[in-house]
Amino acid sequence: MDASTVSAECFDVVVIGAGISGIGAACYLTNEFPSKKIAVLEGRDNIGGTWDLFRYPGIRSDSDLHTYGYEFKPWRHESAIADGHLIRDYLRETVEEYGLERLIRLRHEVVSADWSSDEALWTLTVRTTDGSGAVTELAMKARWVYGATGYYRYDEGYTPHFEGRDEFTGDILHPQHWPENYDYSGKKVVVIGSGATAVTLLPAMTVGPGAAAHVTMLQRTPSYIMEMPRVDALSLQLTKLFGPERGYALTRRKNIWRDQTFVKFVQTFPRAGRALIRHYTKKALPADFDVDTHFNPPYEPWDQRLCATPDGDFFKAISDGRASVVTDRVARFTKNGILLTSGRELKADVIVTATGLNMRFFGGVRQSVDGKPVVLADTVTYRGMLLSGVPNWVVALGYTKSSSWTLKVGLTSRYICDLIKHMDAHGHEIAVPVPDAGMPTRPLLDLTAGYVTRSMDTLPRQGTGLPWRMLTSYRQDAKLLKGALFDRHLRFSARNSAPVRSEGGKPQTTTSHRRGATR
């Protein structure tokens, strides 16, 4: 069925994605705008995004849940570094407590989004799938679109070409598509990769009644790995003394300060930071372990995100002999395992390619503005939330290195609520960022990880100065958003009217930028 032949339902805001970003955004929006019509579209058949998709052994957060969780909903489980099923429970509770079930439409995949300045509306082409698998296309209109899709491609992970792959007689798995109830008990497993997924898989597959016989992490390049306590003892004390609400708020502040201080230290003093991490790594491993071969990355601390190991489970698995690390390169797969460039062969029954992810902004949604296709690589982020030349479209892009992802999403949601209130009060229907001609730009993400560098040319860019530069510090962003709501680069207009160049200033009728969503 042609979507254009169906009368389009119209919304004030459509949120694309029902993961941790989209659910959080919907909470802020419904709290601030109880009378507006809001929908959350999720292409998959369940909420949760990443936390519902990834089911590999040991799947957990890499950030503490006191900062990764929402500011308006305290994290109550004692584990600060939480397993995936606990995060899924937390998201389901949020949906129920904030009455979002009525807004979320599952199996609604947004295919394209076309902006009309004459209507001051986005027209979304949405592909829906019913219980029998029948596919239908429909059209939906929205005054605002909130892109809460993350930046990973959900239908496929990244696996480089390995010569001899077809010769291997065992199983080859990618963590993004882990088979349900897969039995690896008593098997020799080789995990290719050295990122957060591999660091999680290695200890998880060596414990319990279904443990593997041995797990080897085969890495081409080492990563920085640091032990973190799974349980935040101080948080438990703060909760006991001040109650769940205030204790949670105090823990968030403590952890934000802790993370920012550590990152600033290692970035300012990289040699000292490297030495400090090496000291704790060496302390956690056997005395004769070759730390400088296996845990001495060629890059400085925090050029890539540091991997966490709760209670040192990764190091314990190696120390106990249940697991090992090999630093080498893959020459080819063989019938019985992997041949390395050194000539050594690693025997394996199972090979896990924890080799990374593919990036795809907005879930691959094709965008156009007044009939002209949007080329994301030609856009620049405004305050890390809007895109130049793209009206009324929000980007949910959290922190990637120094802070929890969700901290930025909370700031983004509060900012957009204030911006919409300002526009409603002044009769504006359209907001679009416009950079100065010839403004210098730089890559969007400050990461050197392979999945980022492979996709850099397909992503938006950022400027070199405010308001176009992406801030990486929660404190800096929070301070910025307490100031002027907009500046001369954000142009306002209504249908069939000339753009209004705003000189900036605080909104006349908005809620405080420091306010969070409350029930």
Side-chain angles (χ1 to χ4, degrees):
M1 182 183 296
D2 186 349
S4 63
T5 65
V6 181
S7 178
E9 193 174 3
C10 191
F11 297 86
D12 292 292
V13 185
V14 167
V15 179
I16 304 178
I20 195 164
S21 300
I23 291 170
C27 289
Y28 285 100
L29 289 163
T30 54
N31 179 73
E32 295 296 330
F33 304 112
S35 62
K36 287 189 182 293
K37 191 173 182 182
I38 298 167
V40 181
L41 307 183
E42 171 56 53
R44 303 179 68 252
D45 57 6
N46 203 357
I47 67 165
T50 296
W51 300 109
D52 181 67
L53 173 68
F54 290 91
R55 299 298 182 102
Y56 59 81
I59 175 69
R60 56 166 172 78
S61 66
D62 226 20
S63 301
D64 69 275
L65 263 293
H66 300 99
T67 56
Y68 189 74
Y70 304 123
E71 62 181 329
F72 53 84
K73 179 174 170 54
W75 175 255
R76 300 183 185 278
H77 197 277
E78 70 170 12
S79 293
I81 305 297
D83 293 337
H85 69 92
L86 296 175
I87 300 174
R88 291 197 297 274
D89 290 345
Y90 177 80
L91 294 177
R92 282 192 289 266
E93 288 173 8
T94 304
V95 168
E96 293 171 3
E97 291 176 17
Y98 287 82
L100 302 183
E101 298 99 329
R102 60 188 174 82
L103 309 181
I104 297 175
R105 304 188 182 194
L106 301 175
R107 297 180 292 278
H108 278 57
E109 178 189 6
V110 181
V111 178
S112 64
D114 304 292
W115 170 263
S116 167
S117 295
D118 291 336
E119 293 183 299
L121 289 172
W122 285 99
T123 297
L124 307 178
T125 301
V126 183
R127 182 179 297 134
T128 67
T129 307
D130 65 18
S132 67
V135 177
T136 305
E137 280 196 354
L138 56 86
M140 302 172 70
K141 291 183 179 289
R143 302 190 185 281
W144 278 86
V145 175
Y146 194 123
T149 58
Y151 54 61
Y152 295 138
R153 182 165 181 167
Y154 282 84
D155 60 343
E156 66 177 32
Y158 173 74
T159 301
H161 171 72
F162 292 114
E163 191 68 32
R165 179 187 177 106
D166 293 340
E167 298 175 21
F168 180 61
T169 56
D171 294 330
I172 301 174
L173 310 176
H174 192 285
Q176 188 164 331
H177 301 286
W178 196 268
E180 186 175 3
N181 299 320
Y182 180 76
D183 182 13
Y184 52 83
S185 58
K187 296 181 179 179
K188 296 187 293 292
V189 180
V190 174
V191 178
I192 303 175
S194 61
T197 301
V199 171
T200 299
L201 279 165
L202 184 140
M205 297 182 77
T206 62
V207 296
H214 190 84
V215 179
T216 301
M217 186 175 85
L218 171 59
Q219 60 180 11
R220 182 177 60 183
T221 306
S223 299
Y224 291 105
I225 303 173
M226 282 282 287
E227 179 176 347
M228 287 185 65
R230 187 179 292 274
V231 176
D232 187 334
L234 181 53
S235 171
L236 298 181
Q237 287 298 316
L238 290 172
T239 300
K240 184 177 180 180
L241 289 171
F242 297 102
E245 303 285 341
R246 290 187 64 195
Y248 179 69
L250 290 169
T251 300
R252 278 174 68 87
R253 292 179 187 176
K254 168 184 74 72
N255 290 357
I256 290 170
W257 177 87
R258 177 202 64 193
D259 293 346
Q260 293 291 322
T261 300
F262 180 72
V263 172
K264 184 176 181 180
F265 167 75
V266 298
Q267 289 183 330
T268 305
F269 307 104
R271 290 181 63 184
R274 181 187 288 268
L276 180 67
I277 297 171
R278 182 186 184 281
H279 167 76
Y280 284 109
T281 302
K282 189 172 181 61
K283 186 178 179 181
L285 291 165
D288 59 347
F289 192 89
D290 189 355
V291 172
D292 291 325
T293 293
H294 302 301
F295 297 106
N296 185 28
Y299 53 88
E300 300 293 0
W302 236 273
D303 283 352
Q304 296 184 25
R305 190 177 179 92
L306 186 146
C307 297
T309 170
D311 293 339
D313 59 0
F314 176 85
F315 297 129
K316 289 177 182 176
I318 295 172
S319 299
D320 294 344
R322 294 176 280 128
S324 56
V325 177
V326 173
T327 303
D328 208 328
R329 291 176 177 266
V330 177
R332 60 177 287 115
F333 284 13
T334 65
K335 178 181 178 181
N336 299 313
I338 300 174
L339 178 65
L340 306 177
T341 55
S342 63
R344 178 184 175 186
E345 184 178 20
L346 291 179
K347 301 292 186 179
D349 303 306
V350 181
I351 296 174
V352 181
T353 56
T355 46
L357 303 156
N358 287 318
M359 298 187 74
R360 185 166 65 175
F361 236 59
F362 302 136
V365 175
R366 299 187 302 275
Q367 298 167 294
S368 70
V369 174
D370 294 327
K372 183 179 180 180
V374 174
V375 179
L376 285 176
D378 294 339
T379 66
V380 188
T381 57
Y382 177 84
R383 297 192 175 208
M385 303 176 186
L386 305 174
L387 296 176
S388 64
V390 183
N392 295 22
W393 188 290
V394 190
V395 179
L397 186 61
Y399 298 114
T400 55
K401 289 197 330 186
S402 60
S403 299
S404 293
W405 173 274
T406 328
L407 288 174
K408 179 61 176 286
V409 174
L411 293 175
T412 299
S413 298
R414 283 186 278 154
Y415 173 80
I416 293 303
C417 287
D418 281 355
L419 183 61
I420 292 174
K421 284 189 175 186
H422 172 80
M423 293 174 64
D424 288 349
H426 291 81
H428 302 317
E429 294 178 292
I430 302 170
V432 57
V434 180
D436 295 330
M439 183 185 75
T441 63
R442 54 189 275 193
L444 177 67
L445 300 177
D446 57 346
L447 291 170
T448 59
Y451 70 90
V452 176
T453 57
R454 286 194 302 271
S455 306
M456 199 69 75
D457 292 341
T458 66
L459 303 180
R461 295 182 67 81
Q462 63 169 313
T464 57
L466 296 176
W468 304 99
R469 181 165 61 88
M470 292 281 292
L471 297 177
T472 58
S473 162
Y474 174 78
R475 288 180 175 178
Q476 288 179 314
D477 263 329
K479 183 178 180 181
L480 176 66
L481 295 179
K482 289 177 184 176
L485 184 62
F486 50 84
D487 59 22
R488 66 180 179 84
H489 296 101
L490 191 61
R491 312 287 176 84
F492 296 104
S493 62
R495 280 169 287 185
N496 302 316
S497 69
V500 178
R501 289 191 59 166
S502 300
E503 296 304 322
K506 291 182 180 296
Q508 297 177 16
T509 54
T510 71
T511 54
S512 166
H513 292 184
R514 288 166 293 190
R515 204 172 125 200
T518 55
R519 280 180 288 173

